[in-house]
């Protein structure tokens, strides 16, 4: 007969149970049943007379912190605003003021109120959709060498790896690229069109697109550090909320693309609109989106350990 000898250091609450069957050809076979509770590892020694359970010290896994040399620093020049950045933001804001001014002047002169307001509301709604389509495109297609959009693609890839840097990027640095695009696209409309309805739509749509990166930065901020008015607008759904946008930064990184108000996110994700668009692009051009593959290391978020 084989007997079970309990080691004197084995805790009385140890949950491993060992059942010894009859010996076959001079050897014993064993079956171990264990609970999921954490206990010290056990080592089974089978001898001719007894099976002795000896405890082995468990080595707790250590948290591995990887320090990268290419992570942006707080004083990184790439996060600072320059005078050209500020000049482009001023130019973009000027074109927006002209559009809204034209709309207001035309509405007063033509004694219309509801039409420009409705047009502005439509501009706000479509700006959120536009931000989502653009965000989806640069997240999934192209690289740093892509004409016109290469720098934006690289910036958004870096944003996935270090999302907290957007909260440390200075205002004009964050907006200057969109401000430059708005200046070139809106200024001709200001010069050629004076319809208050069109100007209202253009002013609100372009304004939301230009400032979407600031709304995006606020979505990465902490509630205690944001202005109360911004928190109120986020909680009211006027601006994209922190909780909604945080879902975009979790694998598989293929949802919640809209960054103005986030109004379209639920509809687009629930109806798999972007997945359908990806299928169209694949069958027409043979190009696979990044969301179909396992996220690369460049998209894995690295936690800010500086603070």
């Amino acid at each position: 007969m084989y007997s079970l000898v309990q080691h004197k250091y084995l805790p009385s609450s140890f949950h491993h149970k060992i059942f010894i069957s009859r010996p076959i050809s001079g050897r014993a076979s064993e079956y171990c049943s264990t609970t999921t509770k954490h206990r010290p590892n056990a080592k089974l020694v089978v001898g001719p007379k007894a099976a002795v359970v000896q405890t082995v010290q468990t080595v707790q896994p250590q948290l591995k912190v990887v320090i990268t040399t290419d992570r942006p620093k707080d004083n990184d020049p790439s996060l600072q605003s320059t005078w050209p950045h500020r000049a482009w933001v001023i130019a973009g804001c000027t074109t927006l003021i002209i559009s809204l001014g034209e709309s207001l002047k035309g509405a007063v002169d033509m004694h219309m109120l509801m039409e420009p307001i409705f047009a502005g509301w439509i501009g706000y709604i479509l700006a959120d959709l536009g931000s989502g389509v653009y965000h989806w495109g640069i997240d999934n297609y192209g690289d740093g060498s892509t004409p016109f959009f290469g720098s934006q693609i690289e910036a958004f890839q870096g944003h996935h790896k270090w999302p907290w840097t957007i909260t440390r990027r200075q205002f004009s640095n964050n907006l200057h690229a969109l401000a430059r695009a708005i200046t070139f696209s809106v200024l001709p409309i200001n010069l050629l069109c004076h319809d208050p309805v069109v100007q209202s739509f253009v002013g609100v749509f372009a304004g939301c697109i230009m400032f979407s990166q600031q709304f995006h930065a606020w979505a990465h901020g902490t509630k205690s550090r944001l202005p109360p008015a911004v928190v109120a607008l986020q909680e009211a759904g006027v601006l994209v909320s922190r909780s909604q946008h945080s879902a975009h930064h979790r694998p598989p990184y293929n949802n919640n693309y809209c960054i103005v108000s986030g109004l379209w996110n639920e509809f687009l994700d629930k109806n798999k609109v972007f997945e359908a668009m990806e299928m169209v692009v694949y069958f027409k051009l043979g190009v696979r989106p990044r969301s179909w593959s396992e996220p690369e290391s460049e998209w894995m978020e690295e936690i800010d350990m500086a603070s």
Side-chain angles (χ1 to χ4, degrees):
M1 293 293 293
Y2 289 93
S3 60
L4 179 65
V5 180
Q6 185 178 27
H7 196 277
K8 65 180 179 179
Y9 296 112
L10 188 65
S12 59
S13 58
F14 189 69
H15 287 279
H16 288 72
K17 295 179 181 179
I18 302 172
F19 301 91
I20 308 301
S21 64
R22 292 184 178 180
I24 300 176
S25 301
R27 301 179 62 184
S29 61
E30 63 272 3
Y31 170 77
C32 297
S33 174
T34 178
T35 66
T36 58
K37 292 184 179 180
H38 177 71
R39 291 291 185 269
N41 292 336
K43 183 177 181 181
L44 179 64
V45 179
V46 180
K49 296 296 183 180
V52 181
V53 178
Q54 297 177 331
T55 59
V56 180
Q57 183 177 4
T58 301
V59 178
Q60 296 294 336
Q62 299 296 320
L63 179 63
K64 183 178 181 181
V65 178
V66 178
I67 301 175
T68 58
T69 58
D70 57 343
R71 66 176 291 276
K73 305 295 190 296
D74 292 344
N75 59 349
D76 194 317
S78 66
L79 303 178
Q80 307 292 317
S81 294
T82 65
W83 284 109
H85 293 165
R86 297 183 182 97
W88 280 117
V89 171
I90 291 172
C93 289
T94 300
T95 59
L96 296 176
I97 292 172
I98 292 174
S99 286
L100 296 176
E102 286 277 355
S103 176
L104 180 60
K105 180 178 180 299
V108 171
D109 292 343
M110 301 175 67
H111 304 287
M112 63 170 61
L113 180 63
M114 296 306 299
E115 292 88 342
I117 292 177
F118 182 73
W121 181 74
I122 294 297
Y124 164 75
I125 297 297
L126 292 183
D128 187 57
L129 177 61
S131 73
V133 173
Y134 183 76
H135 192 178
W136 162 78
I138 63 177
D139 264 11
N140 285 283
Y141 301 99
D143 54 32
S145 63
T146 302
F148 302 109
F149 303 103
S151 61
Q152 285 286 299
I153 294 170
E154 278 192 329
F156 269 76
Q157 287 179 341
H159 173 67
H160 274 271
K161 192 169 186 179
W162 301 294
W164 42 267
T165 58
I166 196 172
T167 64
R168 301 174 188 179
R169 190 177 294 276
Q170 293 185 353
F171 179 78
S172 295
N173 181 292
N174 198 23
L175 300 187
H176 74 95
L178 288 173
R180 182 167 60 248
I182 293 301
T183 300
F184 285 122
S185 59
V186 174
L187 187 58
I189 300 175
N190 290 341
L191 297 174
L192 299 175
C193 180
H194 304 284
D195 185 286
V197 175
V198 173
Q199 289 289 1
S200 178
F201 172 84
V202 170
V204 175
F205 177 86
C208 289
I209 292 296
M210 176 174 155
F211 286 97
S212 63
Q213 273 295 81
Q214 186 58 48
F215 305 155
H216 185 189
W218 285 333
H220 282 280
T222 56
K223 185 175 182 180
S224 60
R225 296 184 179 182
L226 291 174
V230 171
V231 174
L233 291 172
Q234 288 176 336
E235 293 179 349
V238 177
L239 300 180
V240 63
S241 67
R242 302 177 306 282
S243 59
Q244 186 182 83
H245 184 65
S246 66
H248 176 72
H249 286 271
R250 293 194 293 268
Y253 309 104
N254 63 353
N255 54 62
N256 290 278
Y257 287 107
C258 301
I259 56 174
V260 173
S261 65
L263 177 67
W264 285 90
N265 281 327
E266 182 177 359
F267 172 83
L268 295 172
D269 295 338
K270 182 178 180 180
N271 293 281
K272 303 185 183 301
V273 173
F274 289 123
E275 292 183 22
M277 293 168 62
E278 290 164 1
M279 293 297 294
V280 171
V281 173
Y282 178 71
F283 284 115
K284 292 291 184 181
L285 303 176
V287 180
R288 294 169 59 90
R290 273 184 281 269
S291 62
W292 288 8
S293 305
E294 286 294 325
E296 300 175 355
S297 61
E298 286 76 10
W299 293 81
M300 299 291 101
E301 178 178 349
E302 291 188 3
I303 305 299
D304 177 22
M305 304 295 291
S307 59

mmCIF file of all heavy atoms in Angstrom, residues 251-269:
data_model
loop_
_atom_site.group_PDB
_atom_site.id
_atom_site.type_symbol
_atom_site.label_atom_id
_atom_site.label_comp_id
_atom_site.label_asym_id
_atom_site.label_seq_id
_atom_site.Cartn_x
_atom_site.Cartn_y
_atom_site.Cartn_z
ATOM 1 N N PRO A 251 -7.893 47.542 -28.324
ATOM 2 C CA PRO A 251 -7.951 46.608 -29.454
ATOM 3 C C PRO A 251 -9.392 46.232 -29.748
ATOM 4 O O PRO A 251 -10.199 46.120 -28.827
ATOM 5 C CB PRO A 251 -7.146 45.400 -28.962
ATOM 6 C CG PRO A 251 -6.224 45.964 -27.936
ATOM 7 C CD PRO A 251 -6.997 47.066 -27.252
ATOM 8 N N PRO A 252 -9.778 46.083 -31.020
ATOM 9 C CA PRO A 252 -8.912 46.043 -32.208
ATOM 10 C C PRO A 252 -8.769 47.392 -32.921
ATOM 11 O O PRO A 252 -8.421 47.404 -34.090
ATOM 12 C CB PRO A 252 -9.635 45.036 -33.098
ATOM 13 C CG PRO A 252 -11.085 45.265 -32.797
ATOM 14 C CD PRO A 252 -11.155 45.630 -31.327
ATOM 15 N N TYR A 253 -9.016 48.486 -32.251
ATOM 16 C CA TYR A 253 -8.797 49.827 -32.812
ATOM 17 C C TYR A 253 -9.592 50.062 -34.098
ATOM 18 O O TYR A 253 -9.107 50.672 -35.040
ATOM 19 C CB TYR A 253 -7.302 50.057 -33.094
ATOM 20 C CG TYR A 253 -6.399 49.750 -31.928
ATOM 21 C CD1 TYR A 253 -5.640 48.586 -31.912
ATOM 22 C CD2 TYR A 253 -6.308 50.609 -30.844
ATOM 23 C CE1 TYR A 253 -4.807 48.293 -30.840
ATOM 24 C CE2 TYR A 253 -5.482 50.325 -29.763
ATOM 25 C CZ TYR A 253 -4.735 49.169 -29.767
ATOM 26 O OH TYR A 253 -3.925 48.885 -28.706
ATOM 27 N N ASN A 254 -10.810 49.597 -34.175
ATOM 28 C CA ASN A 254 -11.585 49.733 -35.411
ATOM 29 C C ASN A 254 -12.985 50.277 -35.151
ATOM 30 O O ASN A 254 -13.932 49.945 -35.864
ATOM 31 C CB ASN A 254 -11.673 48.381 -36.122
ATOM 32 C CG ASN A 254 -12.413 47.324 -35.304
ATOM 33 O OD1 ASN A 254 -12.761 47.563 -34.147
ATOM 34 N ND2 ASN A 254 -12.638 46.159 -35.891
ATOM 35 N N ASN A 255 -13.138 51.123 -34.156
ATOM 36 C CA ASN A 255 -14.451 51.678 -33.856
ATOM 37 C C ASN A 255 -14.295 53.080 -33.266
ATOM 38 O O ASN A 255 -13.187 53.528 -32.977
ATOM 39 C CB ASN A 255 -15.208 50.767 -32.874
ATOM 40 C CG ASN A 255 -14.396 50.482 -31.624
ATOM 41 O OD1 ASN A 255 -14.056 51.386 -30.861
ATOM 42 N ND2 ASN A 255 -14.059 49.213 -31.407
ATOM 43 N N ASN A 256 -15.423 53.771 -33.108
ATOM 44 C CA ASN A 256 -15.453 55.093 -32.491
ATOM 45 C C ASN A 256 -14.445 56.046 -33.134
ATOM 46 O O ASN A 256 -13.632 56.682 -32.468
ATOM 47 C CB ASN A 256 -15.186 54.990 -30.987
ATOM 48 C CG ASN A 256 -16.332 54.343 -30.235
ATOM 49 O OD1 ASN A 256 -17.322 54.992 -29.902
ATOM 50 N ND2 ASN A 256 -16.214 53.050 -29.988
ATOM 51 N N TYR A 257 -14.518 56.182 -34.454
ATOM 52 C CA TYR A 257 -13.588 57.029 -35.189
ATOM 53 C C TYR A 257 -13.949 58.518 -35.117
ATOM 54 O O TYR A 257 -13.074 59.366 -35.274
ATOM 55 C CB TYR A 257 -13.546 56.612 -36.660
ATOM 56 C CG TYR A 257 -12.825 55.321 -36.940
ATOM 57 C CD1 TYR A 257 -13.531 54.157 -37.276
ATOM 58 C CD2 TYR A 257 -11.439 55.242 -36.893
ATOM 59 C CE1 TYR A 257 -12.872 52.966 -37.557
ATOM 60 C CE2 TYR A 257 -10.771 54.052 -37.165
ATOM 61 C CZ TYR A 257 -11.493 52.924 -37.501
ATOM 62 O OH TYR A 257 -10.834 51.750 -37.771
ATOM 63 N N CYS A 258 -15.208 58.844 -34.938
ATOM 64 C CA CYS A 258 -15.649 60.243 -35.006
ATOM 65 C C CYS A 258 -15.186 61.016 -33.776
ATOM 66 O O CYS A 258 -15.326 60.534 -32.642
ATOM 67 C CB CYS A 258 -17.159 60.319 -35.125
ATOM 68 S SG CYS A 258 -17.802 59.463 -36.590
ATOM 69 N N ILE A 259 -14.649 62.228 -33.989
ATOM 70 C CA ILE A 259 -14.029 62.954 -32.875
ATOM 71 C C ILE A 259 -14.541 64.393 -32.723
ATOM 72 O O ILE A 259 -13.916 65.187 -32.029
ATOM 73 C CB ILE A 259 -12.492 62.966 -33.016
ATOM 74 C CG1 ILE A 259 -12.066 63.548 -34.363
ATOM 75 C CG2 ILE A 259 -11.916 61.582 -32.817
ATOM 76 C CD1 ILE A 259 -10.563 63.718 -34.511
ATOM 77 N N VAL A 260 -15.661 64.725 -33.345
ATOM 78 C CA VAL A 260 -16.252 66.050 -33.096
ATOM 79 C C VAL A 260 -17.238 65.938 -31.938
ATOM 80 O O VAL A 260 -17.001 66.459 -30.853
ATOM 81 C CB VAL A 260 -16.925 66.623 -34.356
ATOM 82 C CG1 VAL A 260 -17.687 67.913 -34.028
ATOM 83 C CG2 VAL A 260 -15.875 66.911 -35.434
ATOM 84 N N SER A 261 -18.344 65.255 -32.180
ATOM 85 C CA SER A 261 -19.314 65.020 -31.108
ATOM 86 C C SER A 261 -19.438 63.537 -30.772
ATOM 87 O O SER A 261 -19.941 63.186 -29.702
ATOM 88 C CB SER A 261 -20.686 65.557 -31.518
ATOM 89 O OG SER A 261 -21.196 64.829 -32.636
ATOM 90 N N GLY A 262 -19.006 62.669 -31.690
ATOM 91 C CA GLY A 262 -19.179 61.226 -31.487
ATOM 92 C C GLY A 262 -20.590 60.766 -31.757
ATOM 93 O O GLY A 262 -20.936 59.612 -31.499
ATOM 94 N N LEU A 263 -21.421 61.659 -32.309
ATOM 95 C CA LEU A 263 -22.826 61.337 -32.541
ATOM 96 C C LEU A 263 -23.004 60.153 -33.486
ATOM 97 O O LEU A 263 -23.918 59.341 -33.307
ATOM 98 C CB LEU A 263 -23.535 62.572 -33.103
ATOM 99 C CG LEU A 263 -25.008 62.427 -33.481
ATOM 100 C CD1 LEU A 263 -25.850 62.203 -32.231
ATOM 101 C CD2 LEU A 263 -25.499 63.662 -34.227
ATOM 102 N N TRP A 264 -22.124 60.036 -34.468
ATOM 103 C CA TRP A 264 -22.264 59.001 -35.478
ATOM 104 C C TRP A 264 -21.654 57.657 -35.064
ATOM 105 O O TRP A 264 -21.876 56.659 -35.750
ATOM 106 C CB TRP A 264 -21.598 59.468 -36.782
ATOM 107 C CG TRP A 264 -22.370 60.484 -37.539
ATOM 108 C CD1 TRP A 264 -22.296 61.843 -37.412
ATOM 109 C CD2 TRP A 264 -23.344 60.235 -38.561
ATOM 110 N NE1 TRP A 264 -23.154 62.452 -38.291
ATOM 111 C CE2 TRP A 264 -23.811 61.485 -39.012
ATOM 112 C CE3 TRP A 264 -23.856 59.076 -39.144
ATOM 113 C CZ2 TRP A 264 -24.773 61.610 -40.014
ATOM 114 C CZ3 TRP A 264 -24.811 59.197 -40.147
ATOM 115 C CH2 TRP A 264 -25.263 60.446 -40.575
ATOM 116 N N ASN A 265 -20.896 57.620 -34.012
ATOM 117 C CA ASN A 265 -20.133 56.414 -33.707
ATOM 118 C C ASN A 265 -21.009 55.172 -33.524
ATOM 119 O O ASN A 265 -20.707 54.109 -34.074
ATOM 120 C CB ASN A 265 -19.274 56.634 -32.457
ATOM 121 C CG ASN A 265 -18.020 57.427 -32.759
ATOM 122 O OD1 ASN A 265 -17.448 57.318 -33.840
ATOM 123 N ND2 ASN A 265 -17.584 58.235 -31.802
ATOM 124 N N GLU A 266 -22.056 55.290 -32.747
ATOM 125 C CA GLU A 266 -22.902 54.124 -32.494
ATOM 126 C C GLU A 266 -23.531 53.607 -33.779
ATOM 127 O O GLU A 266 -23.547 52.394 -34.039
ATOM 128 C CB GLU A 266 -23.984 54.465 -31.471
ATOM 129 C CG GLU A 266 -24.868 53.279 -31.118
ATOM 130 C CD GLU A 266 -25.902 53.617 -30.052
ATOM 131 O OE1 GLU A 266 -25.918 54.764 -29.571
ATOM 132 O OE2 GLU A 266 -26.687 52.711 -29.712
ATOM 133 N N PHE A 267 -24.043 54.518 -34.609
ATOM 134 C CA PHE A 267 -24.674 54.107 -35.862
ATOM 135 C C PHE A 267 -23.668 53.441 -36.790
ATOM 136 O O PHE A 267 -23.931 52.370 -37.362
ATOM 137 C CB PHE A 267 -25.294 55.318 -36.554
ATOM 138 C CG PHE A 267 -25.814 55.041 -37.936
ATOM 139 C CD1 PHE A 267 -27.074 54.488 -38.116
ATOM 140 C CD2 PHE A 267 -25.034 55.318 -39.061
ATOM 141 C CE1 PHE A 267 -27.551 54.211 -39.402
ATOM 142 C CE2 PHE A 267 -25.498 55.048 -40.341
ATOM 143 C CZ PHE A 267 -26.768 54.488 -40.509
ATOM 144 N N LEU A 268 -22.508 54.054 -36.960
ATOM 145 C CA LEU A 268 -21.500 53.515 -37.880
ATOM 146 C C LEU A 268 -20.981 52.160 -37.427
ATOM 147 O O LEU A 268 -20.785 51.247 -38.234
ATOM 148 C CB LEU A 268 -20.342 54.504 -38.011
ATOM 149 C CG LEU A 268 -20.677 55.851 -38.668
ATOM 150 C CD1 LEU A 268 -19.497 56.803 -38.548
ATOM 151 C CD2 LEU A 268 -21.068 55.667 -40.126
ATOM 152 N N ASP A 269 -20.748 52.005 -36.127
ATOM 153 C CA ASP A 269 -20.208 50.747 -35.616
ATOM 154 C C ASP A 269 -21.268 49.642 -35.606
ATOM 155 O O ASP A 269 -20.984 48.496 -35.943
ATOM 156 C CB ASP A 269 -19.638 50.950 -34.218
ATOM 157 C CG ASP A 269 -18.441 51.887 -34.203
ATOM 158 O OD1 ASP A 269 -17.804 52.049 -35.265
ATOM 159 O OD2 ASP A 269 -18.143 52.463 -33.134
#
